[in-house]
Amino acid sequence: MEFAYLQTPMGIAELEGDENGLAAIRVLDEEKPIGIVPEVLEDAVYQFQEYFEGKRENFDLKLNPSGTDFQKKVWQALKEVPFGKTLSYMELSKRLGDPKAIRAVAAANGKNPLWIVIPCHRIIGSNGDLVGYAGGLHRKKWLLEHESPSPQQSLF
């Protein structure tokens, strides 16, 4: 696997992938040197930069996340939540055909290895509260505000 590091408004992003696709994206709390970007990750870094500059709403990348079949099904459903929109865990469970699977759906959402590209930050509590984000609720809030159609107003 190859690694690239990118400064974002929320910290250093670590992108991991190879010729089979992007496998993981993590936001780090510690500093990492921003160095040469491996060729297999150049497009991912470029698209991430565009996203943070407000020039990109969707990613067009080859993805290769590791997970169970159920997790991959949930992650695929997450990719269908449009930029600037949110969905509750219950609504996501219903879209997947089983409202009783809400806890399993939430767990799969939390295991998403592709931060932002698979937009797990767009999933909120049924009452509209920000809940459950592996990167921290402050980052979830930032992402939702970044994607808000009315950036001058805070969602939360």
Side-chain angles (χ1 to χ4, degrees), residues 74 77-81 85-93 95 102 105-106 109-110 112 118-126 128-133 137 140 144 147 156:
V74 172
L78 291 172
K79 289 172 30 182
E80 295 168 15
V81 180
K85 302 290 183 192
T86 59
L87 196 68
S88 74
Y89 288 98
M90 178 57 77
E91 291 170 314
L92 183 59
S93 297
R95 283 188 182 187
I102 189 168
V105 167
N109 192 54
N112 171 21
I118 297 177
C120 55
H121 60 279
R122 297 179 189 154
I123 308 303
I124 60 174
S126 295
D129 285 348
L130 294 185
V131 293
Y133 191 63
L137 291 181
K140 184 173 191 164
L144 292 173
E147 294 182 1
F156 306 97

PDB file of all heavy atoms in Angstrom, residues 74 77-81 85-93 95 102 105-106 109-110 112 118-126 128-133 137 140 144 147 156:
ATOM      1  N   VAL A  74     -24.019  -1.241   3.065  1.00  0.00           N
ATOM      2  CA  VAL A  74     -24.313   0.014   3.764  1.00  0.00           C
ATOM      3  C   VAL A  74     -23.499   1.149   3.144  1.00  0.00           C
ATOM      4  O   VAL A  74     -24.029   2.234   2.859  1.00  0.00           O
ATOM      5  CB  VAL A  74     -24.040  -0.103   5.277  1.00  0.00           C
ATOM      6  CG1 VAL A  74     -24.153   1.251   5.968  1.00  0.00           C
ATOM      7  CG2 VAL A  74     -24.998  -1.106   5.914  1.00  0.00           C
ATOM      8  N   ALA A  77     -24.947   2.359  -0.016  1.00  0.00           N
ATOM      9  CA  ALA A  77     -26.135   3.190   0.234  1.00  0.00           C
ATOM     10  C   ALA A  77     -25.725   4.592   0.693  1.00  0.00           C
ATOM     11  O   ALA A  77     -26.383   5.579   0.347  1.00  0.00           O
ATOM     12  CB  ALA A  77     -27.038   2.526   1.270  1.00  0.00           C
ATOM     13  N   LEU A  78     -24.659   4.697   1.457  1.00  0.00           N
ATOM     14  CA  LEU A  78     -24.181   6.007   1.908  1.00  0.00           C
ATOM     15  C   LEU A  78     -23.778   6.878   0.723  1.00  0.00           C
ATOM     16  O   LEU A  78     -23.999   8.096   0.729  1.00  0.00           O
ATOM     17  CB  LEU A  78     -22.977   5.856   2.845  1.00  0.00           C
ATOM     18  CG  LEU A  78     -23.235   5.258   4.215  1.00  0.00           C
ATOM     19  CD1 LEU A  78     -21.916   4.989   4.932  1.00  0.00           C
ATOM     20  CD2 LEU A  78     -24.112   6.161   5.044  1.00  0.00           C
ATOM     21  N   LYS A  79     -23.207   6.274  -0.312  1.00  0.00           N
ATOM     22  CA  LYS A  79     -22.769   7.026  -1.478  1.00  0.00           C
ATOM     23  C   LYS A  79     -23.952   7.632  -2.234  1.00  0.00           C
ATOM     24  O   LYS A  79     -23.774   8.546  -3.036  1.00  0.00           O
ATOM     25  CB  LYS A  79     -21.935   6.136  -2.401  1.00  0.00           C
ATOM     26  CG  LYS A  79     -20.581   5.824  -1.808  1.00  0.00           C
ATOM     27  CD  LYS A  79     -19.740   4.802  -2.540  1.00  0.00           C
ATOM     28  CE  LYS A  79     -19.897   4.695  -4.001  1.00  0.00           C
ATOM     29  NZ  LYS A  79     -19.063   3.653  -4.603  1.00  0.00           N
ATOM     30  N   GLU A  80     -25.151   7.156  -1.951  1.00  0.00           N
ATOM     31  CA  GLU A  80     -26.345   7.670  -2.628  1.00  0.00           C
ATOM     32  C   GLU A  80     -26.967   8.865  -1.905  1.00  0.00           C
ATOM     33  O   GLU A  80     -27.916   9.466  -2.417  1.00  0.00           O
ATOM     34  CB  GLU A  80     -27.355   6.538  -2.792  1.00  0.00           C
ATOM     35  CG  GLU A  80     -26.834   5.438  -3.710  1.00  0.00           C
ATOM     36  CD  GLU A  80     -27.672   4.177  -3.682  1.00  0.00           C
ATOM     37  OE1 GLU A  80     -28.814   4.211  -3.179  1.00  0.00           O
ATOM     38  OE2 GLU A  80     -27.167   3.151  -4.166  1.00  0.00           O
ATOM     39  N   VAL A  81     -26.452   9.220  -0.736  1.00  0.00           N
ATOM     40  CA  VAL A  81     -26.952  10.402  -0.013  1.00  0.00           C
ATOM     41  C   VAL A  81     -26.299  11.617  -0.666  1.00  0.00           C
ATOM     42  O   VAL A  81     -25.075  11.752  -0.647  1.00  0.00           O
ATOM     43  CB  VAL A  81     -26.626  10.345   1.489  1.00  0.00           C
ATOM     44  CG1 VAL A  81     -27.165  11.593   2.199  1.00  0.00           C
ATOM     45  CG2 VAL A  81     -27.196   9.077   2.118  1.00  0.00           C
ATOM     46  N   LYS A  85     -27.146  17.088   1.760  1.00  0.00           N
ATOM     47  CA  LYS A  85     -28.349  16.479   2.341  1.00  0.00           C
ATOM     48  C   LYS A  85     -27.939  15.558   3.483  1.00  0.00           C
ATOM     49  O   LYS A  85     -26.803  15.118   3.576  1.00  0.00           O
ATOM     50  CB  LYS A  85     -29.106  15.654   1.287  1.00  0.00           C
ATOM     51  CG  LYS A  85     -29.525  16.436   0.067  1.00  0.00           C
ATOM     52  CD  LYS A  85     -30.613  17.406   0.392  1.00  0.00           C
ATOM     53  CE  LYS A  85     -31.073  18.128  -0.867  1.00  0.00           C
ATOM     54  NZ  LYS A  85     -31.913  19.253  -0.622  1.00  0.00           N
ATOM     55  N   THR A  86     -28.897  15.268   4.353  1.00  0.00           N
ATOM     56  CA  THR A  86     -28.669  14.317   5.434  1.00  0.00           C
ATOM     57  C   THR A  86     -29.778  13.279   5.425  1.00  0.00           C
ATOM     58  O   THR A  86     -30.820  13.457   4.793  1.00  0.00           O
ATOM     59  CB  THR A  86     -28.633  15.004   6.814  1.00  0.00           C
ATOM     60  OG1 THR A  86     -29.863  15.676   7.032  1.00  0.00           O
ATOM     61  CG2 THR A  86     -27.462  15.972   6.922  1.00  0.00           C
ATOM     62  N   LEU A  87     -29.542  12.214   6.132  1.00  0.00           N
ATOM     63  CA  LEU A  87     -30.468  11.098   6.244  1.00  0.00           C
ATOM     64  C   LEU A  87     -30.306  10.537   7.649  1.00  0.00           C
ATOM     65  O   LEU A  87     -29.198  10.543   8.186  1.00  0.00           O
ATOM     66  CB  LEU A  87     -30.083  10.039   5.205  1.00  0.00           C
ATOM     67  CG  LEU A  87     -31.060   8.950   4.828  1.00  0.00           C
ATOM     68  CD1 LEU A  87     -32.243   9.543   4.067  1.00  0.00           C
ATOM     69  CD2 LEU A  87     -30.371   7.925   3.944  1.00  0.00           C
ATOM     70  N   SER A  88     -31.374  10.057   8.252  1.00  0.00           N
ATOM     71  CA  SER A  88     -31.243   9.459   9.580  1.00  0.00           C
ATOM     72  C   SER A  88     -30.821   7.995   9.451  1.00  0.00           C
ATOM     73  O   SER A  88     -30.989   7.367   8.402  1.00  0.00           O
ATOM     74  CB  SER A  88     -32.564   9.558  10.348  1.00  0.00           C
ATOM     75  OG  SER A  88     -33.507   8.640   9.834  1.00  0.00           O
ATOM     76  N   TYR A  89     -30.309   7.471  10.550  1.00  0.00           N
ATOM     77  CA  TYR A  89     -29.952   6.053  10.581  1.00  0.00           C
ATOM     78  C   TYR A  89     -31.185   5.196  10.283  1.00  0.00           C
ATOM     79  O   TYR A  89     -31.099   4.191   9.582  1.00  0.00           O
ATOM     80  CB  TYR A  89     -29.351   5.671  11.938  1.00  0.00           C
ATOM     81  CG  TYR A  89     -27.963   6.202  12.156  1.00  0.00           C
ATOM     82  CD1 TYR A  89     -27.745   7.369  12.887  1.00  0.00           C
ATOM     83  CD2 TYR A  89     -26.855   5.543  11.645  1.00  0.00           C
ATOM     84  CE1 TYR A  89     -26.466   7.857  13.102  1.00  0.00           C
ATOM     85  CE2 TYR A  89     -25.573   6.026  11.845  1.00  0.00           C
ATOM     86  CZ  TYR A  89     -25.397   7.184  12.570  1.00  0.00           C
ATOM     87  OH  TYR A  89     -24.124   7.672  12.768  1.00  0.00           O
ATOM     88  N   MET A  90     -32.342   5.597  10.802  1.00  0.00           N
ATOM     89  CA  MET A  90     -33.572   4.846  10.564  1.00  0.00           C
ATOM     90  C   MET A  90     -33.944   4.878   9.083  1.00  0.00           C
ATOM     91  O   MET A  90     -34.290   3.858   8.499  1.00  0.00           O
ATOM     92  CB  MET A  90     -34.728   5.403  11.410  1.00  0.00           C
ATOM     93  CG  MET A  90     -36.055   4.680  11.169  1.00  0.00           C
ATOM     94  SD  MET A  90     -35.992   2.881  11.458  1.00  0.00           S
ATOM     95  CE  MET A  90     -36.031   2.863  13.230  1.00  0.00           C
ATOM     96  N   GLU A  91     -33.861   6.052   8.461  1.00  0.00           N
ATOM     97  CA  GLU A  91     -34.173   6.156   7.033  1.00  0.00           C
ATOM     98  C   GLU A  91     -33.214   5.302   6.206  1.00  0.00           C
ATOM     99  O   GLU A  91     -33.628   4.651   5.251  1.00  0.00           O
ATOM    100  CB  GLU A  91     -34.098   7.620   6.580  1.00  0.00           C
ATOM    101  CG  GLU A  91     -35.203   8.491   7.139  1.00  0.00           C
ATOM    102  CD  GLU A  91     -34.955   9.967   6.875  1.00  0.00           C
ATOM    103  OE1 GLU A  91     -33.810  10.445   7.103  1.00  0.00           O
ATOM    104  OE2 GLU A  91     -35.909  10.642   6.455  1.00  0.00           O
ATOM    105  N   LEU A  92     -31.952   5.294   6.595  1.00  0.00           N
ATOM    106  CA  LEU A  92     -30.970   4.476   5.888  1.00  0.00           C
ATOM    107  C   LEU A  92     -31.299   2.995   6.041  1.00  0.00           C
ATOM    108  O   LEU A  92     -31.251   2.236   5.069  1.00  0.00           O
ATOM    109  CB  LEU A  92     -29.557   4.774   6.396  1.00  0.00           C
ATOM    110  CG  LEU A  92     -28.412   4.043   5.706  1.00  0.00           C
ATOM    111  CD1 LEU A  92     -28.370   4.337   4.210  1.00  0.00           C
ATOM    112  CD2 LEU A  92     -27.083   4.416   6.360  1.00  0.00           C
ATOM    113  N   SER A  93     -31.677   2.577   7.245  1.00  0.00           N
ATOM    114  CA  SER A  93     -32.064   1.179   7.484  1.00  0.00           C
ATOM    115  C   SER A  93     -33.261   0.801   6.626  1.00  0.00           C
ATOM    116  O   SER A  93     -33.303  -0.293   6.048  1.00  0.00           O
ATOM    117  CB  SER A  93     -32.398   0.959   8.955  1.00  0.00           C
ATOM    118  OG  SER A  93     -31.272   1.184   9.760  1.00  0.00           O
ATOM    119  N   ARG A  95     -34.147   2.189   3.765  1.00  0.00           N
ATOM    120  CA  ARG A  95     -33.690   2.116   2.365  1.00  0.00           C
ATOM    121  C   ARG A  95     -33.001   0.783   2.079  1.00  0.00           C
ATOM    122  O   ARG A  95     -33.046   0.286   0.959  1.00  0.00           O
ATOM    123  CB  ARG A  95     -32.722   3.255   2.053  1.00  0.00           C
ATOM    124  CG  ARG A  95     -33.389   4.570   1.845  1.00  0.00           C
ATOM    125  CD  ARG A  95     -32.407   5.597   1.352  1.00  0.00           C
ATOM    126  NE  ARG A  95     -33.049   6.886   1.207  1.00  0.00           N
ATOM    127  CZ  ARG A  95     -32.463   7.939   0.669  1.00  0.00           C
ATOM    128  NH1 ARG A  95     -31.221   7.870   0.235  1.00  0.00           N
ATOM    129  NH2 ARG A  95     -33.118   9.075   0.575  1.00  0.00           N
ATOM    130  N   ILE A 102     -31.205  -1.218  12.354  1.00  0.00           N
ATOM    131  CA  ILE A 102     -30.639   0.113  12.578  1.00  0.00           C
ATOM    132  C   ILE A 102     -29.295   0.074  13.318  1.00  0.00           C
ATOM    133  O   ILE A 102     -28.371   0.794  12.970  1.00  0.00           O
ATOM    134  CB  ILE A 102     -31.658   1.037  13.290  1.00  0.00           C
ATOM    135  CG1 ILE A 102     -31.131   2.482  13.322  1.00  0.00           C
ATOM    136  CG2 ILE A 102     -32.022   0.523  14.662  1.00  0.00           C
ATOM    137  CD1 ILE A 102     -32.158   3.505  13.732  1.00  0.00           C
ATOM    138  N   VAL A 105     -26.660  -1.212  10.921  1.00  0.00           N
ATOM    139  CA  VAL A 105     -26.387  -0.172   9.937  1.00  0.00           C
ATOM    140  C   VAL A 105     -25.505   0.906  10.562  1.00  0.00           C
ATOM    141  O   VAL A 105     -24.529   1.360   9.956  1.00  0.00           O
ATOM    142  CB  VAL A 105     -27.708   0.418   9.387  1.00  0.00           C
ATOM    143  CG1 VAL A 105     -27.467   1.706   8.615  1.00  0.00           C
ATOM    144  CG2 VAL A 105     -28.417  -0.607   8.505  1.00  0.00           C
ATOM    145  N   ALA A 106     -25.818   1.313  11.785  1.00  0.00           N
ATOM    146  CA  ALA A 106     -25.013   2.315  12.476  1.00  0.00           C
ATOM    147  C   ALA A 106     -23.586   1.807  12.702  1.00  0.00           C
ATOM    148  O   ALA A 106     -22.621   2.557  12.533  1.00  0.00           O
ATOM    149  CB  ALA A 106     -25.664   2.696  13.798  1.00  0.00           C
ATOM    150  N   ASN A 109     -21.770   1.899   9.441  1.00  0.00           N
ATOM    151  CA  ASN A 109     -21.484   3.301   9.147  1.00  0.00           C
ATOM    152  C   ASN A 109     -20.214   3.736   9.891  1.00  0.00           C
ATOM    153  O   ASN A 109     -19.349   4.396   9.329  1.00  0.00           O
ATOM    154  CB  ASN A 109     -22.686   4.158   9.557  1.00  0.00           C
ATOM    155  CG  ASN A 109     -22.618   5.564   9.040  1.00  0.00           C
ATOM    156  OD1 ASN A 109     -22.461   5.793   7.854  1.00  0.00           O
ATOM    157  ND2 ASN A 109     -22.760   6.516   9.944  1.00  0.00           N
ATOM    158  N   GLY A 110     -20.111   3.331  11.141  1.00  0.00           N
ATOM    159  CA  GLY A 110     -18.951   3.684  11.959  1.00  0.00           C
ATOM    160  C   GLY A 110     -17.662   3.015  11.530  1.00  0.00           C
ATOM    161  O   GLY A 110     -16.581   3.458  11.890  1.00  0.00           O
ATOM    162  N   ASN A 112     -16.819   2.661   8.338  1.00  0.00           N
ATOM    163  CA  ASN A 112     -16.497   3.170   7.008  1.00  0.00           C
ATOM    164  C   ASN A 112     -15.034   3.627   6.954  1.00  0.00           C
ATOM    165  O   ASN A 112     -14.649   4.548   7.667  1.00  0.00           O
ATOM    166  CB  ASN A 112     -17.439   4.337   6.678  1.00  0.00           C
ATOM    167  CG  ASN A 112     -17.051   5.082   5.424  1.00  0.00           C
ATOM    168  OD1 ASN A 112     -16.347   4.571   4.569  1.00  0.00           O
ATOM    169  ND2 ASN A 112     -17.506   6.316   5.328  1.00  0.00           N
ATOM    170  N   ILE A 118     -17.016   8.173   0.995  1.00  0.00           N
ATOM    171  CA  ILE A 118     -18.261   7.487   1.350  1.00  0.00           C
ATOM    172  C   ILE A 118     -18.810   8.319   2.511  1.00  0.00           C
ATOM    173  O   ILE A 118     -18.300   8.249   3.623  1.00  0.00           O
ATOM    174  CB  ILE A 118     -18.018   6.019   1.756  1.00  0.00           C
ATOM    175  CG1 ILE A 118     -17.447   5.232   0.568  1.00  0.00           C
ATOM    176  CG2 ILE A 118     -19.325   5.388   2.239  1.00  0.00           C
ATOM    177  CD1 ILE A 118     -17.102   3.786   0.873  1.00  0.00           C
ATOM    178  N   PRO A 119     -19.822   9.153   2.236  1.00  0.00           N
ATOM    179  CA  PRO A 119     -20.202  10.234   3.159  1.00  0.00           C
ATOM    180  C   PRO A 119     -21.006   9.817   4.381  1.00  0.00           C
ATOM    181  O   PRO A 119     -22.169  10.189   4.554  1.00  0.00           O
ATOM    182  CB  PRO A 119     -20.997  11.171   2.252  1.00  0.00           C
ATOM    183  CG  PRO A 119     -21.622  10.257   1.250  1.00  0.00           C
ATOM    184  CD  PRO A 119     -20.602   9.186   1.000  1.00  0.00           C
ATOM    185  N   CYS A 120     -20.368   9.098   5.276  1.00  0.00           N
ATOM    186  CA  CYS A 120     -21.028   8.671   6.507  1.00  0.00           C
ATOM    187  C   CYS A 120     -21.378   9.858   7.406  1.00  0.00           C
ATOM    188  O   CYS A 120     -22.263   9.757   8.260  1.00  0.00           O
ATOM    189  CB  CYS A 120     -20.182   7.655   7.259  1.00  0.00           C
ATOM    190  SG  CYS A 120     -18.514   8.210   7.629  1.00  0.00           S
ATOM    191  N   HIS A 121     -20.724  10.990   7.195  1.00  0.00           N
ATOM    192  CA  HIS A 121     -21.014  12.184   7.995  1.00  0.00           C
ATOM    193  C   HIS A 121     -22.416  12.731   7.717  1.00  0.00           C
ATOM    194  O   HIS A 121     -22.940  13.512   8.494  1.00  0.00           O
ATOM    195  CB  HIS A 121     -19.964  13.275   7.736  1.00  0.00           C
ATOM    196  CG  HIS A 121     -19.885  13.733   6.322  1.00  0.00           C
ATOM    197  ND1 HIS A 121     -19.184  13.034   5.358  1.00  0.00           N
ATOM    198  CD2 HIS A 121     -20.440  14.803   5.699  1.00  0.00           C
ATOM    199  CE1 HIS A 121     -19.297  13.673   4.209  1.00  0.00           C
ATOM    200  NE2 HIS A 121     -20.058  14.751   4.386  1.00  0.00           N
ATOM    201  N   ARG A 122     -23.037  12.307   6.633  1.00  0.00           N
ATOM    202  CA  ARG A 122     -24.378  12.790   6.271  1.00  0.00           C
ATOM    203  C   ARG A 122     -25.499  12.038   6.990  1.00  0.00           C
ATOM    204  O   ARG A 122     -26.665  12.319   6.775  1.00  0.00           O
ATOM    205  CB  ARG A 122     -24.568  12.700   4.761  1.00  0.00           C
ATOM    206  CG  ARG A 122     -23.604  13.589   3.998  1.00  0.00           C
ATOM    207  CD  ARG A 122     -23.773  13.500   2.500  1.00  0.00           C
ATOM    208  NE  ARG A 122     -22.682  14.222   1.848  1.00  0.00           N
ATOM    209  CZ  ARG A 122     -22.239  13.953   0.631  1.00  0.00           C
ATOM    210  NH1 ARG A 122     -22.812  12.999  -0.091  1.00  0.00           N
ATOM    211  NH2 ARG A 122     -21.246  14.653   0.119  1.00  0.00           N
ATOM    212  N   ILE A 123     -25.138  11.087   7.833  1.00  0.00           N
ATOM    213  CA  ILE A 123     -26.139  10.314   8.570  1.00  0.00           C
ATOM    214  C   ILE A 123     -26.244  10.885   9.980  1.00  0.00           C
ATOM    215  O   ILE A 123     -25.246  11.019  10.685  1.00  0.00           O
ATOM    216  CB  ILE A 123     -25.776   8.813   8.603  1.00  0.00           C
ATOM    217  CG1 ILE A 123     -25.493   8.299   7.183  1.00  0.00           C
ATOM    218  CG2 ILE A 123     -26.884   8.014   9.274  1.00  0.00           C
ATOM    219  CD1 ILE A 123     -26.636   8.498   6.178  1.00  0.00           C
ATOM    220  N   ILE A 124     -27.479  11.210  10.360  1.00  0.00           N
ATOM    221  CA  ILE A 124     -27.734  11.878  11.638  1.00  0.00           C
ATOM    222  C   ILE A 124     -28.801  11.115  12.416  1.00  0.00           C
ATOM    223  O   ILE A 124     -29.426  10.191  11.895  1.00  0.00           O
ATOM    224  CB  ILE A 124     -28.159  13.347  11.420  1.00  0.00           C
ATOM    225  CG1 ILE A 124     -29.438  13.413  10.582  1.00  0.00           C
ATOM    226  CG2 ILE A 124     -27.030  14.139  10.771  1.00  0.00           C
ATOM    227  CD1 ILE A 124     -30.026  14.806  10.421  1.00  0.00           C
ATOM    228  N   GLY A 125     -29.039  11.519  13.643  1.00  0.00           N
ATOM    229  CA  GLY A 125     -30.080  10.921  14.466  1.00  0.00           C
ATOM    230  C   GLY A 125     -31.469  11.261  13.924  1.00  0.00           C
ATOM    231  O   GLY A 125     -31.648  12.261  13.225  1.00  0.00           O
ATOM    232  N   SER A 126     -32.453  10.448  14.274  1.00  0.00           N
ATOM    233  CA  SER A 126     -33.826  10.661  13.810  1.00  0.00           C
ATOM    234  C   SER A 126     -34.383  12.012  14.217  1.00  0.00           C
ATOM    235  O   SER A 126     -35.224  12.583  13.531  1.00  0.00           O
ATOM    236  CB  SER A 126     -34.746   9.555  14.331  1.00  0.00           C
ATOM    237  OG  SER A 126     -34.367   8.317  13.770  1.00  0.00           O
ATOM    238  N   GLY A 128     -32.611  14.704  14.340  1.00  0.00           N
ATOM    239  CA  GLY A 128     -31.778  15.735  13.732  1.00  0.00           C
ATOM    240  C   GLY A 128     -30.472  15.992  14.450  1.00  0.00           C
ATOM    241  O   GLY A 128     -29.670  16.814  14.014  1.00  0.00           O
ATOM    242  N   ASP A 129     -30.230  15.277  15.554  1.00  0.00           N
ATOM    243  CA  ASP A 129     -28.992  15.474  16.309  1.00  0.00           C
ATOM    244  C   ASP A 129     -27.790  14.863  15.582  1.00  0.00           C
ATOM    245  O   ASP A 129     -27.915  13.859  14.872  1.00  0.00           O
ATOM    246  CB  ASP A 129     -29.080  14.817  17.686  1.00  0.00           C
ATOM    247  CG  ASP A 129     -29.944  15.601  18.657  1.00  0.00           C
ATOM    248  OD1 ASP A 129     -30.293  16.755  18.350  1.00  0.00           O
ATOM    249  OD2 ASP A 129     -30.272  15.043  19.720  1.00  0.00           O
ATOM    250  N   LEU A 130     -26.637  15.463  15.801  1.00  0.00           N
ATOM    251  CA  LEU A 130     -25.390  14.877  15.331  1.00  0.00           C
ATOM    252  C   LEU A 130     -25.032  13.759  16.292  1.00  0.00           C
ATOM    253  O   LEU A 130     -24.872  13.996  17.484  1.00  0.00           O
ATOM    254  CB  LEU A 130     -24.271  15.911  15.339  1.00  0.00           C
ATOM    255  CG  LEU A 130     -24.393  17.082  14.387  1.00  0.00           C
ATOM    256  CD1 LEU A 130     -23.133  17.930  14.460  1.00  0.00           C
ATOM    257  CD2 LEU A 130     -24.625  16.620  12.980  1.00  0.00           C
ATOM    258  N   VAL A 131     -24.936  12.572  15.786  1.00  0.00           N
ATOM    259  CA  VAL A 131     -24.578  11.419  16.609  1.00  0.00           C
ATOM    260  C   VAL A 131     -23.578  10.566  15.862  1.00  0.00           C
ATOM    261  O   VAL A 131     -23.548  10.555  14.638  1.00  0.00           O
ATOM    262  CB  VAL A 131     -25.817  10.569  16.987  1.00  0.00           C
ATOM    263  CG1 VAL A 131     -26.746  11.332  17.902  1.00  0.00           C
ATOM    264  CG2 VAL A 131     -26.580  10.108  15.758  1.00  0.00           C
ATOM    265  N   GLY A 132     -22.761   9.849  16.610  1.00  0.00           N
ATOM    266  CA  GLY A 132     -21.897   8.810  16.089  1.00  0.00           C
ATOM    267  C   GLY A 132     -21.048   9.156  14.901  1.00  0.00           C
ATOM    268  O   GLY A 132     -21.429   8.883  13.781  1.00  0.00           O
ATOM    269  N   TYR A 133     -19.886   9.736  15.130  1.00  0.00           N
ATOM    270  CA  TYR A 133     -18.953   9.971  14.040  1.00  0.00           C
ATOM    271  C   TYR A 133     -17.552   9.631  14.526  1.00  0.00           C
ATOM    272  O   TYR A 133     -17.047  10.235  15.489  1.00  0.00           O
ATOM    273  CB  TYR A 133     -19.026  11.421  13.561  1.00  0.00           C
ATOM    274  CG  TYR A 133     -18.281  11.652  12.267  1.00  0.00           C
ATOM    275  CD1 TYR A 133     -18.675  11.011  11.101  1.00  0.00           C
ATOM    276  CD2 TYR A 133     -17.178  12.479  12.214  1.00  0.00           C
ATOM    277  CE1 TYR A 133     -17.998  11.202   9.917  1.00  0.00           C
ATOM    278  CE2 TYR A 133     -16.489  12.686  11.035  1.00  0.00           C
ATOM    279  CZ  TYR A 133     -16.904  12.046   9.883  1.00  0.00           C
ATOM    280  OH  TYR A 133     -16.230  12.230   8.697  1.00  0.00           O
ATOM    281  N   LEU A 137     -17.412  14.504  16.568  1.00  0.00           N
ATOM    282  CA  LEU A 137     -18.590  15.286  16.181  1.00  0.00           C
ATOM    283  C   LEU A 137     -18.223  16.678  15.680  1.00  0.00           C
ATOM    284  O   LEU A 137     -18.934  17.235  14.837  1.00  0.00           O
ATOM    285  CB  LEU A 137     -19.583  15.374  17.342  1.00  0.00           C
ATOM    286  CG  LEU A 137     -20.282  14.056  17.704  1.00  0.00           C
ATOM    287  CD1 LEU A 137     -21.264  14.274  18.847  1.00  0.00           C
ATOM    288  CD2 LEU A 137     -20.989  13.441  16.503  1.00  0.00           C
ATOM    289  N   LYS A 140     -17.692  16.186  12.037  1.00  0.00           N
ATOM    290  CA  LYS A 140     -18.970  15.949  11.364  1.00  0.00           C
ATOM    291  C   LYS A 140     -19.696  17.278  11.154  1.00  0.00           C
ATOM    292  O   LYS A 140     -20.209  17.553  10.070  1.00  0.00           O
ATOM    293  CB  LYS A 140     -19.821  14.980  12.190  1.00  0.00           C
ATOM    294  CG  LYS A 140     -21.136  14.595  11.542  1.00  0.00           C
ATOM    295  CD  LYS A 140     -21.810  13.488  12.363  1.00  0.00           C
ATOM    296  CE  LYS A 140     -22.977  12.892  11.631  1.00  0.00           C
ATOM    297  NZ  LYS A 140     -23.394  11.614  12.190  1.00  0.00           N
ATOM    298  N   LEU A 144     -20.718  18.951   7.501  1.00  0.00           N
ATOM    299  CA  LEU A 144     -22.100  19.277   7.147  1.00  0.00           C
ATOM    300  C   LEU A 144     -22.252  20.774   6.853  1.00  0.00           C
ATOM    301  O   LEU A 144     -22.974  21.158   5.927  1.00  0.00           O
ATOM    302  CB  LEU A 144     -23.062  18.830   8.242  1.00  0.00           C
ATOM    303  CG  LEU A 144     -23.184  17.310   8.401  1.00  0.00           C
ATOM    304  CD1 LEU A 144     -24.034  16.966   9.616  1.00  0.00           C
ATOM    305  CD2 LEU A 144     -23.742  16.665   7.142  1.00  0.00           C
ATOM    306  N   GLU A 147     -20.820  21.502   3.428  1.00  0.00           N
ATOM    307  CA  GLU A 147     -21.689  21.035   2.342  1.00  0.00           C
ATOM    308  C   GLU A 147     -23.049  21.731   2.331  1.00  0.00           C
ATOM    309  O   GLU A 147     -23.848  21.499   1.431  1.00  0.00           O
ATOM    310  CB  GLU A 147     -21.889  19.523   2.455  1.00  0.00           C
ATOM    311  CG  GLU A 147     -20.617  18.741   2.228  1.00  0.00           C
ATOM    312  CD  GLU A 147     -20.818  17.234   2.279  1.00  0.00           C
ATOM    313  OE1 GLU A 147     -21.966  16.775   2.480  1.00  0.00           O
ATOM    314  OE2 GLU A 147     -19.814  16.526   2.105  1.00  0.00           O
ATOM    315  N   PHE A 156     -26.180  23.568  13.026  1.00  0.00           N
ATOM    316  CA  PHE A 156     -26.331  23.104  14.406  1.00  0.00           C
ATOM    317  C   PHE A 156     -25.862  24.157  15.372  1.00  0.00           C
ATOM    318  O   PHE A 156     -24.891  24.770  15.252  1.00  0.00           O
ATOM    319  CB  PHE A 156     -25.567  21.798  14.615  1.00  0.00           C
ATOM    320  CG  PHE A 156     -25.975  20.773  13.613  1.00  0.00           C
ATOM    321  CD1 PHE A 156     -25.252  20.565  12.464  1.00  0.00           C
ATOM    322  CD2 PHE A 156     -27.126  20.019  13.797  1.00  0.00           C
ATOM    323  CE1 PHE A 156     -25.626  19.630  11.536  1.00  0.00           C
ATOM    324  CE2 PHE A 156     -27.514  19.081  12.869  1.00  0.00           C
ATOM    325  CZ  PHE A 156     -26.755  18.883  11.739  1.00  0.00           C
TER     326      PHE A 156
END
